[in-house]
Amino acid sequence: MIIVRGLKMRHESVKNYCLGIESTADDFSVGIVTFDGRILANVINAYVSESGGIHPREAAQHHSQVAEEVVAQALKEAKISSDQIDLVAFSQGPGLGPCLRTGATVARAIAAYLKIPLVGVNHCVAHIEIGKLTTGIRDPVTLYVSGGNTIVAAFDAGRYRVFGETLDIAVGNCFDVFAREAGYRQKEGLPFGAIIERLATKGQTYISLPYSVKGMDMSFSGLLTAILHLLRKGEHPIEDLCYSLQETVFSMLTEVTERALAHTEKPGILLTGGVAANKRLQSMLKTVAEEHNTKFCVVPKQYALDNGAMIAWTGILAYKNGLTLPIEQSFVRLKWRLDEVEVPWVKT
Ligand code: ATP
Ligand code: FE2
């Protein structure tokens, strides 16, 4: 494995640095975090395809091509040498098989070569833990909204419990498909969701769309079909379509988050995932938090997107609780749900 070229071995009793590898989908990222929670590096290398969609094997190929360079860049940013790493963490799931396997292979190679422990991290748990670390919020209701996930979760009895989730596609995915169909292409650094957000600010007329909250779960595929139908009919300005899409989707998310908050009586709301960057969603959740007299925190963008720092930090929490993973058992878990994971480090 080329990645271990130039890595040096070291053994010391004081544990200080964890290197975390994120590779669940289109990003390959390496973060370095100290055991007391200082983020020293967080290098993200995104795979962007021509079409804007993700082809798992192409993304995995991208990850293996950039892995060595991203690890080297993270070490440089953290100003440490490879022989100072004490622990390697990797995103074990959920995610796309080929992408997860590439990250796992890099992590195993580093752990084996440096003779240091390996920890497998649940990607969704990591989104919550880095949010708590970077915002300082304690025991929140978390809304995690990205291209692949739409989850409302809160801690209870040893695990993060899922209070509500999508029954079909994720919110980010719904936005991305709509924007692609509308003929937009991802410009440098501007995701589809951000293009929709920009257009929505100029929308003036609300067009009624299917609002689908079932119990505490949500469905977005019917809404997507309906808005694609309206788009093809060409009777409404794109600005009004984007405005109506955002208002409907975010009202659903806010309703479920508010109900989880009222039920659990948690002391705040944490918003994370790529869609968390959206100002309209932020303002709706902020209003809910104010009405319930609780805190509202948004995870800073570089830690709300898929990133290696969140894997490194969650790896440290797991390691401190004795949760290491022997290499021979470090298989990836494509459908590893958030509520299957014991989180013994969380105390309320
Ligand atoms: P995961 O693996 O956690 O599902 P992901 O691979 O989808 O994550 P993220 O970077 O967390 O990656 O999220 C990307 C999503 O966020 C895309 O669907 C994108 O359109 C959306 N997004 C980004 N910025 C905004 C914004 N300002 N408003 C709405 N959506 C946004
Ligand atoms: Fe993610």
Side-chain angles (χ1 to χ4, degrees):
M1 185 73 208
I2 44 168
I3 193 72
V4 293
R5 239 195 304 143
L7 294 180
K8 290 184 250 155
M9 281 186 268
R10 180 190 88 132
H11 306 282
E12 253 179 43
S13 54
V14 181
K15 299 274 179 268
N16 206 9
Y17 302 104
C18 177
L19 181 142
I21 298 174
E22 158 59 34
S23 72
T24 51
D26 49 350
D27 295 314
F28 185 85
S29 175
V30 174
I32 295 173
V33 178
T34 63
F35 273 51
D36 57 2
R38 280 176 299 126
I39 300 167
L40 304 182
N42 190 38
V43 181
I44 304 173
N45 192 312
Y47 158 76
V48 184
S49 71
E50 292 277 300
S51 66
I54 306 180
H55 188 293
R57 258 174 296 125
E58 279 176 20
Q61 201 172 5
H62 158 268
H63 298 349
S64 57
Q65 276 163 1
V66 302
E68 183 174 13
E69 177 194 323
V70 177
V71 170
Q73 207 180 328
L75 289 168
K76 197 172 159 204
E77 245 175 52
K79 298 193 176 63
I80 63 165
S81 59
S82 57
D83 59 339
Q84 288 176 277
I85 304 165
D86 301 294
L87 178 67
V88 178
F90 71 103
S91 49
Q92 200 178 356
L96 305 171
C99 301
L100 285 169
R101 278 180 216 108
T102 306
T105 305
V106 175
R108 287 183 204 116
I110 296 175
Y113 188 78
L114 293 174
K115 296 191 169 49
I116 55 176
L118 182 69
V119 178
V121 168
N122 178 285
H123 179 88
C124 307
V125 170
H127 270 293
I128 298 175
E129 293 302 346
I130 199 74
K132 285 160 63 184
L133 177 74
T134 55
T135 66
I137 199 166
R138 275 197 60 248
D139 196 24
V141 166
T142 301
L143 173 60
Y144 163 34
V145 260
S146 63
N149 289 281
T150 304
I151 294 177
V152 177
F155 180 81
D156 185 45
R159 294 182 189 194
Y160 289 113
R161 308 285 165 175
V162 175
F163 282 80
E165 62 190 320
T166 178
L167 295 169
D168 39 54
I169 56 171
V171 166
N173 185 227
C174 174
F175 286 174
D176 296 350
V177 172
F178 173 73
R180 259 203 310 273
E181 283 293 311
Y184 292 94
R185 290 289 165 260
Q186 259 174 316
K187 301 204 191 82
E188 276 160 42
L190 201 61
F192 286 127
I195 296 172
I196 291 177
E197 180 175 17
R198 202 177 272 187
L199 292 163
T201 57
K202 298 188 199 110
Q204 285 173 345
T205 308
Y206 178 77
I207 305 150
S208 183
L209 291 168
Y211 184 99
S212 187
V213 175
K214 300 173 184 181
M216 288 289 278
D217 293 329
M218 296 150 279
S219 161
F220 302 101
S221 63
L223 185 155
L224 177 62
T225 307
I227 198 163
L228 288 177
H229 181 67
L230 291 173
L231 176 74
R232 284 172 199 138
K233 272 187 20 192
E235 290 169 4
H236 301 281
I238 185 73
E239 291 82 0
D240 286 350
L241 289 174
C242 290
Y243 167 66
S244 308
L245 177 63
Q246 275 201 174
E247 290 305 299
T248 313
V249 164
F250 294 163
S251 299
M252 289 161 63
L253 295 173
T254 304
E255 181 193 329
V256 173
T257 307
E258 179 170 22
R259 279 204 267 141
L261 186 72
H263 175 75
T264 58
E265 298 182 340
K266 294 284 183 188
I269 299 173
L270 179 69
L271 175 61
T272 192
V275 184
N278 192 290
K279 294 278 185 289
R280 179 63 183 139
L281 178 59
Q282 290 177 13
S283 93
M284 285 165 87
L285 292 168
K286 188 162 175 279
T287 306
V288 165
E290 280 165 6
E291 279 168 6
H292 288 258
N293 229 348
T294 55
K295 266 179 102 171
F296 171 62
C297 293
V298 185
V299 180
K301 202 168 170 183
Q302 70 271 35
Y303 306 120
L305 303 170
D306 288 349
N307 67 90
M310 71 180 189
I311 304 300
W313 174 237
T314 311
I316 292 166
L317 295 172
Y319 176 78
K320 284 180 175 172
N321 281 269
L323 299 174
T324 57
L325 191 63
I327 288 183
E328 62 279 13
Q329 290 170 26
S330 61
F331 52 86
V332 297
R333 307 176 68 170
L334 276 57
K335 303 231 177 280
W336 196 15
R337 280 181 63 87
L338 171 68
D339 48 12
E340 288 171 25
V341 188
E342 300 282 351
V343 288
W345 58 85
V346 181
K347 314 272 184 280
T348 56

